[in-house]
Amino acid sequence: FLFLSKLRIPTYRDKPGTTPIVQNMHQTHIDRDLCFCPVFFHIQMLWELVLLGEPLVVMAPSPAESSETVLALVSCISPLKYCSDFRPYFTIHDSEFKEYTTRTQAPPSVILGVTNPFFAKTLQHWPHIIRIGDIKLPGEVPKQVKVKKLKNLKTLDSKPGVYSSYKPYLNKDEEIVKQLQKGVQQKRPTEAQSVILRRYFLELTESFIIPLERYVASLMPLQKCISPWKSPPQLRQFSQDDFMKTLEKAGPQLTSGLKGDWIGLYRHFLKSPNFDGWFRSRQREMTQKLEALHLEALCNENLVFWSQKHTEVETVDLVLKLKNKLLQADTERLPVKTDTLKKLQTHINDIILALPDDLQDILLKTGTT
């Protein structure tokens, strides 16, 4: 059984911290095949481990299999962005070698891909180890194996499988296993198997993330709270307790039939680097939206009329602030329409032209503060 992982090279158009769900045909991507046979029955557990940013070691026979497995793991929580470090092919020459092999501190949130048998001993203290074996022949169904305890992992020659004491929060989805197992028996094309697994992971991740998206959207101030003469309002604070209360009526059960301890999974996730990265990205996007709405509110005001009722000092201050708004819209790529920016520039020009000649000359030459 093969899982196709896509590695997409970001472009300058991408917003930092986002992972597009729909990929444009012109975007560069690299297709990689990954044999998931040895961990066939544990894909759902691996999804949880990656989602929670748990330390993972992939031990494989070759750099290619090591790299492909790590990249596939990282992509399995798409469209959620994996925010921890990952090393598709980690060697004893890497600068973090001492840090990752020391037993004096807990392993960091990172996914390592290794091939050197030396790591079977030096990384044995890591909590989750995946052993990838030889590629099976098409049509050969792997034997169902239980998750092994770490003490059983002595060398790189240990049997393929997952070595961990982790207990998944969600109940096992037998349907996806049966579906993929049937595909192996019927020699279903690799591409078709890959599509099934990718769709499964996508739907699972979206079921998990939608309640969070919905709650975070509620932290956005109402548009009526935005005044052109005041600074944009702040986002409301994220409250874990308030979010948990929303799960009873608007939780993942609306889109997923999986049972289990969803609450426990969310509590664990909220402490993870993936949540931190995701939430920072959403905060940035919503703050930029507030800035954009504030700018639009300014454009809808009669700013020339306002300036005629205020002192020259106040008017000059307004012009400088408006110029800064234009600069901010450009440098931060705020989601503002081009017409709005043109309208703001017109406002600035009209206000300046209504001022005395000496001030006009100064302000026309002045950039931003």
Side-chain angles (χ1 to χ4, degrees):
F1 165 64
L2 297 173
F3 169 48
L4 182 67
S5 171
K6 286 190 175 182
L7 173 65
R8 181 178 166 280
I9 309 301
T11 69
Y12 70 93
R13 292 189 183 90
D14 290 330
K15 289 182 181 179
T18 60
T19 306
I21 298 176
V22 181
Q23 295 183 349
N24 192 295
M25 288 298 289
H26 300 292
Q27 292 171 338
T28 307
H29 68 267
I30 301 170
D31 289 341
R32 293 182 176 271
D33 289 341
L34 166 67
C35 178
F36 245 136
C37 279
V39 292
F40 188 88
F41 295 94
H42 311 302
I43 52 173
Q44 190 181 324
M45 186 184 84
L46 294 177
W47 174 83
E48 283 193 25
L49 292 176
V50 175
L51 178 76
L52 300 174
E54 286 288 307
L56 268 167
V57 179
V58 174
M59 295 184 175
S62 70
E65 288 172 85
S66 159
S67 300
E68 288 163 2
T69 306
V70 171
L71 293 174
L73 287 169
V74 168
S75 70
C76 79
I77 60 169
S78 178
L80 193 64
K81 184 177 183 291
Y82 183 75
C83 295
S84 295
D85 193 10
F86 60 96
R87 305 296 180 86
Y89 181 46
F90 186 76
T91 72
I92 59 174
H93 303 293
D94 280 87
S95 56
E96 287 85 2
F97 174 76
K98 284 186 178 180
E99 177 190 347
Y100 291 169
T101 54
T102 181
R103 292 173 181 265
T104 58
Q105 60 188 42
S109 175
V110 62
I111 301 178
L112 297 183
V114 302
T115 60
N116 192 326
F118 178 67
F119 283 116
K121 182 180 180 181
T122 56
L123 295 178
Q124 197 171 355
H125 63 291
W126 277 51
H128 319 291
I129 298 174
I130 302 169
R131 170 73 172 89
I132 300 295
D134 297 324
I135 294 177
K136 303 290 183 182
L137 296 173
E140 183 181 345
V141 179
K143 292 180 180 179
Q144 184 165 3
V145 291
K146 292 182 179 180
V147 176
K148 303 174 182 66
K149 292 186 178 179
L150 287 168
K151 64 181 181 180
N152 295 333
L153 184 66
K154 300 299 182 186
T155 67
L156 197 63
D157 295 325
S158 295
K159 290 181 180 179
V162 179
Y163 295 78
S164 172
S165 57
Y166 177 81
K167 183 182 178 183
Y169 287 96
L170 304 181
N171 299 343
K172 196 166 189 176
D173 190 337
E174 300 292 349
E175 285 303 312
I176 184 65
V177 174
K178 288 178 183 176
Q179 193 177 1
L180 295 172
Q181 198 170 0
K182 185 177 179 182
V184 175
Q185 291 170 333
Q186 296 178 347
K187 299 184 180 180
R188 185 185 290 149
T190 301
E191 294 77 11
Q193 288 281 77
S194 300
V195 167
I196 291 170
L197 189 52
R198 276 206 309 276
R199 186 189 301 126
Y200 175 76
F201 279 141
L202 177 63
E203 290 174 355
L204 185 56
T205 303
E206 287 186 333
S207 290
F208 180 80
I209 209 71
I210 285 172
L212 274 163
E213 294 274 11
R214 188 184 293 114
Y215 171 73
V216 168
S218 74
L219 303 179
M220 185 87 164
L222 298 175
Q223 192 162 347
K224 66 181 181 181
C225 299
I226 298 173
S227 166
W229 308 115
K230 295 179 182 178
S231 297
Q234 297 291 308
L235 298 172
R236 289 194 293 280
Q237 291 291 314
F238 185 102
S239 165
Q240 180 173 312
D241 290 339
D242 289 346
F243 166 65
M244 291 299 175
K245 289 175 185 175
T246 69
L247 296 177
E248 186 178 344
K249 292 183 178 179
Q253 71 274 11
L254 296 180
T255 52
S256 175
L258 272 183
K259 305 295 183 182
D261 184 10
W262 284 99
I263 299 293
L265 185 61
Y266 279 113
R267 288 192 190 282
H268 195 153
F269 176 72
L270 294 181
K271 300 174 184 176
S272 74
N274 287 332
F275 169 73
D276 186 60
W278 172 83
F279 185 59
R280 284 175 186 270
S281 174
R282 290 295 174 272
Q283 274 185 313
R284 184 166 53 247
E285 288 175 13
M286 292 195 295
T287 301
Q288 288 183 335
K289 179 64 176 175
L290 286 172
E291 291 287 353
L293 290 172
H294 184 250
L295 197 150
E296 288 174 9
L298 274 170
C299 285
N300 292 330
E301 292 290 316
N302 189 334
L303 299 179
V304 175
F305 180 73
W306 180 93
S307 66
Q308 291 170 350
K309 294 198 164 199
H310 290 74
T311 65
E312 288 181 1
V313 173
E314 290 172 316
T315 302
V316 169
D317 185 54
L318 175 65
V319 169
L320 294 177
K321 284 181 177 177
L322 293 177
K323 285 190 172 188
N324 272 332
K325 280 282 184 185
L326 277 178
L327 180 63
Q328 180 188 16
D330 179 53
T331 55
E332 296 183 16
R333 296 182 183 176
L334 297 182
V336 184
K337 296 176 183 175
T338 306
D339 290 345
T340 302
L341 297 177
K342 288 180 180 178
K343 191 175 179 181
L344 185 61
Q345 185 63 63
T346 301
H347 278 318
I348 293 171
N349 294 339
D350 291 343
I351 294 171
I352 291 176
L353 291 173
L355 290 168
D357 291 346
D358 56 337
L359 280 176
Q360 284 187 38
D361 291 339
I362 295 171
L363 289 173
L364 288 171
K365 292 175 184 176
T366 305
T368 54
T369 54

